[in-house]
Amino acid sequence: MPTFVNPALLWGLLILAVPVLIHLINLLRHRRVPWAAMEFLLASQRKNSTWIRLKELLLLLTRMAAIAAIVLLLAQPRWQHRLSSLFGGQRTHHIVLLDDSFSMADRWADTSAFDQAIRVVQRIGEQASGEPGAQSFTLLRFSQAGAGASDSRPDFLKASIDTRFGSQLKEALGRMRPSQMAVGPGEAVKAFEQLVGPADDEDRVVYLVSDFRAADWDQPGELAKALARLDQSRAALRLIDCVDMARPNLAITDLAPQPGTQAAGVPLAMAVTVKNFGSDAVRGVSVLLEEDGRPRGAVEIDHVAPGESETRRFAVFFSTAGDHVVAASLESDAVEIDNARYCLVDLPPAVPVLLVDGAAGTPHARFLAAALAPGGAVNTGINPRIEPPAYLNNNPLDKFQAVYLLDVPRLDQPAIDALEEYVRAGGGLGVFLGDNVRAPFYNQKLYRGGQGLLPMPLASKIQLLVDRLETGPDLEVAVRHPVFKIFAGERNSFLAAVSVDWYIATPKDWQPETDSTAEVVARLRNGAPLAVEHQFGAGRVMVFTTTAAPLWNNWGRNPSFVVAVLEMQSHLAGSAAREAPRLVGSPIQVQLDPARYRPQVRLVAPSGPEPGSGAAGGGEPGPAAEGTGQVPGAGADVVAGAPPAVDGVPLVIDAAQGPEGLTASFPRAQRRGVYELVLTTAENKPEVRRLVFNVEAAEGDLAIIGGDELASRLPGVRYEFRQAADFHLSPRELAGANLGHWVLYLLVALLLGEQALAYSASYHPPAREGAP
């Protein structure tokens, strides 16, 4: 069935009447005049009149056909039929890759980038459905693109376009919202390649509808290769930009506890970080805070420079042990999804700390335990446990937040191995020396030429002699170091009263290697090291060359000792590796011990208002809340939605047996917030575990890439880059064979034929010889 790209131009076919009118007018101009000489000629002409009239009729028809061909050429006819492939056309497959990452929530005036994208997709569907013929449609959102074809959930997959398609597409688009994921175009392009396969029997037009943020396109890498493969497969590539400029945006990029004792009944230091992704400075930023859903005083940030981050510390307090949620939020701006962040802190009743007492009967452990846990009205949240060195041989250490060796003479090899494994995994080790320490053993087993736990070699016990000419304090500390910075300035008066009589020196020529992490953080009056630390694996070791008890010094009786020990405990405990943040879009998994738990696990995803009374935006569920099923009337190949484990709706699954025990795997987290996993113990008692998922804050960088910059990053790739507001389907993107070139060929043939007929039908007297 023929269709036309510009059907209004078909009115030009009325021009076909012009040659007929001219012919009729010419007939009216003839007058019959009797003439005897002409009678003879007319008699001769009658014998050939039929052939002459036929030539004149053919000439008239040829001229009319030429005019019709010109009109049809301007109207651009297309042929909608299976046989149209014989003329160079076939089924057209419209493939839309729709960016629904949360940067598409960028809002201005009364619209947003995602609103612009929805209008573009709707326009594609409406224009395509208005054209009869063989067309199909695939719609894949970025958030629905999985690692493989089996993981991807397109909203439409090779759906046939008919007259009902426009309404079906509009219904599906009306339910869509920007996701809370940070996913780029690369995943969607890869998923599309696996979903639709090779283009053997169809023409493809791929529409990449996105906001073209610079972070996704600065170094496209694999994405550029994937787009080049599309170009090589002769797919027409359309890049459609949904934003016109980069707008300022603030985001909370981090919310986490700071190094220190984390226990119930102890103030917990937290830090919140706000980044300014805009090009102008922002002043007067207020960060709203909540503790277990209860508002508390906000944190004020006076100034955030463009492209920079500002971090502010604050303290929270929870009197009971268990999980507690701290939430932070900002006021509304261009993108609201990155304006809130959550942190889950699991507070035990007290933090266990192991004190290894190397000399029975000496007060080393007692003094250190008293400093860590003074008792009475003072609650440090620390529970010191005193054990002999043999305890290290056969007992796990991962339950202790720090381990201290106090005047330990020697350790068995299993104990050394256990300590190295503990510190290497992120544990903290503190060492105080004393009379029982044997330098050869420490150097051979614990220092090991700089490869062991000890940051420096040991020499011998030396007395710090009194220098009558030097009246300075015995301790010189690096006030920038976390352990001693509290003593900076005027608060240093307590340290000035500390005196040291004996210490174990290092070799005279010893200095920390330039490529090592060893650092002298406190020295004695004579310049000898008093405190040395270094990194060992993911953990930290700190060594004091004097005693913990006031035997070689008077420090244990000085108030500064308690302060320094508590700061050292926070410093050592803070060396533990911080758990990687869980991001929206990551799978939800939990490992179960089959001896303790039953396999059935229930997941309840976050619901209810966002922190800050909705200031963070997004009380509305994301795309995953759409449910599952098919778009009504769209056919079996049209799929929409995702698993319904969101917005407070529980999802129950049975954990699968694996090599590491039972593993319960749920779909990807669709929105930020607190997820509850309800387990059932072997005694049939419920147990709740909570997980916190946050958005990838880097997605809030709204810097965009322009057309010229994009071209430099996609060399050799043929594409059209258009703005969403100006986008319309071009004639080349409609289904069917374009007959325009065949009409052109016909027009040329008609014009040549017209000249031949005109020459044949006219009279041409023979040339006379000798005529001038």
Side-chain angles (χ1 to χ4, degrees), residues 425-497:
L429 175 64
V431 181
F432 285 87
L433 305 181
D435 278 316
N436 293 296
V437 169
R438 298 295 176 259
F441 169 80
Y442 272 67
N443 293 337
Q444 182 181 2
K445 295 293 185 179
L446 298 182
Y447 178 63
R448 296 205 322 270
Q451 302 302 310
L453 287 168
L454 222 62
M456 77 289 195
L458 302 181
S460 58
K461 175 183 175 181
I462 294 180
Q463 186 177 15
L464 182 64
L465 300 175
V466 176
D467 188 347
R468 301 293 183 182
L469 300 178
E470 179 61 56
T471 58
D474 286 355
L475 271 63
E476 297 176 358
V477 301
V479 293
R480 293 184 179 180
H481 190 270
V483 173
F484 300 110
K485 66 180 180 180
I486 194 171
F487 298 109
E490 297 179 356
R491 292 172 291 182
N492 203 13
S493 58
F494 285 114
L495 284 181

Side-chain angles (χ1 to χ4, degrees), residues 52 67 83 110 202 349 364 437 486 517 595 640 648 668 698 715 720 727 737:
I52 294 174
I67 294 175
L83 297 179
D110 59 346
E202 61 184 16
H364 296 296
V437 169
I486 194 171
T517 59
R668 296 182 296 174
E720 291 186 14
F727 176 77

Side-chain angles (χ1 to χ4, degrees), residues 217-369:
W217 296 89
D218 274 343
Q219 296 179 338
E222 291 299 320
L223 173 59
K225 295 178 182 178
L227 295 179
R229 289 195 298 270
L230 285 179
D231 183 24
Q232 293 166 5
S233 68
R234 294 184 298 179
L237 183 59
R238 308 287 180 260
L239 307 183
I240 304 171
D241 191 2
C242 298
V243 296
D244 55 351
M245 62 177 292
R247 291 171 177 79
N249 182 47
L250 292 177
I252 299 180
T253 58
D254 194 33
L255 176 66
Q258 297 303 286
T261 301
Q262 299 182 25
V266 178
L268 174 63
M270 300 279 298
V272 61
T273 302
V274 176
K275 184 166 185 177
N276 178 10
F277 286 112
S279 57
D280 297 319
V282 179
R283 301 181 183 277
V285 179
S286 180
V287 184
L288 306 179
L289 301 174
E290 292 181 2
E291 300 174 2
D292 284 337
R294 298 185 301 273
R296 49 148 293 161
V299 171
E300 301 296 333
I301 302 177
D302 296 334
H303 177 270
V304 187
E308 299 296 329
S309 299
E310 290 290 335
T311 300
R312 293 292 182 271
R313 291 169 61 99
F314 61 96
V316 295
F317 181 84
F318 300 103
S319 60
T320 59
D323 289 342
H324 299 276
V325 178
V326 180
S329 62
L330 299 172
E331 297 177 353
S332 298
D333 56 8
V335 176
E336 298 182 355
I337 297 175
D338 57 7
N339 286 355
R341 204 160 188 90
Y342 300 83
C343 179
L344 182 68
V345 291
D346 184 9
L347 301 180
V351 173
V353 172
L354 179 62
L355 310 183
V356 181
D357 192 357
T362 58
H364 296 296
R366 178 167 53 86
F367 265 85
L368 189 60

Side-chain angles (χ1 to χ4, degrees), residues 398-410:
D398 54 0
K399 64 181 178 181
F400 296 105
Q401 200 172 72
V403 176
Y404 294 88
L405 301 181
L406 306 173
D407 195 15
V408 175
R410 60 176 294 111

Side-chain angles (χ1 to χ4, degrees), residues 3 36 65 86 91 133 292 310 340 565 620 672 696 727 754:
T3 60
L86 299 176
R91 173 182 289 269
D292 284 337
E310 290 290 335
V565 166
E620 187 175 14
R672 67 192 174 189
E696 174 57 75
F727 176 77
E754 188 272 343

Side-chain angles (χ1 to χ4, degrees), residues 529-585:
L530 173 68
V532 186
E533 75 165 4
H534 79 146
Q535 289 290 130
F536 187 83
R540 184 180 290 120
V541 180
M542 191 168 188
V543 179
F544 282 84
T545 59
T546 189
T547 59
L551 301 178
W552 288 6
N553 55 69
N554 70 344
W555 198 12
R557 294 188 176 90
N558 188 291
S560 65
F561 181 72
V562 175
V563 176
V565 166
L566 291 176
E567 293 295 325
M568 180 174 63
Q569 169 60 31
S570 297
H571 183 56
L572 294 177
S575 66
R578 176 181 170 185
E579 182 181 7
R582 293 182 174 89
L583 299 178
V584 174

Side-chain angles (χ1 to χ4, degrees), residues 637-663:
D637 55 353
V638 182
V639 181
V646 296
D647 204 32
V649 180
L651 178 63
V652 181
I653 68 168
D654 287 332
Q657 184 65 46
E660 299 181 358
L662 293 174
T663 302

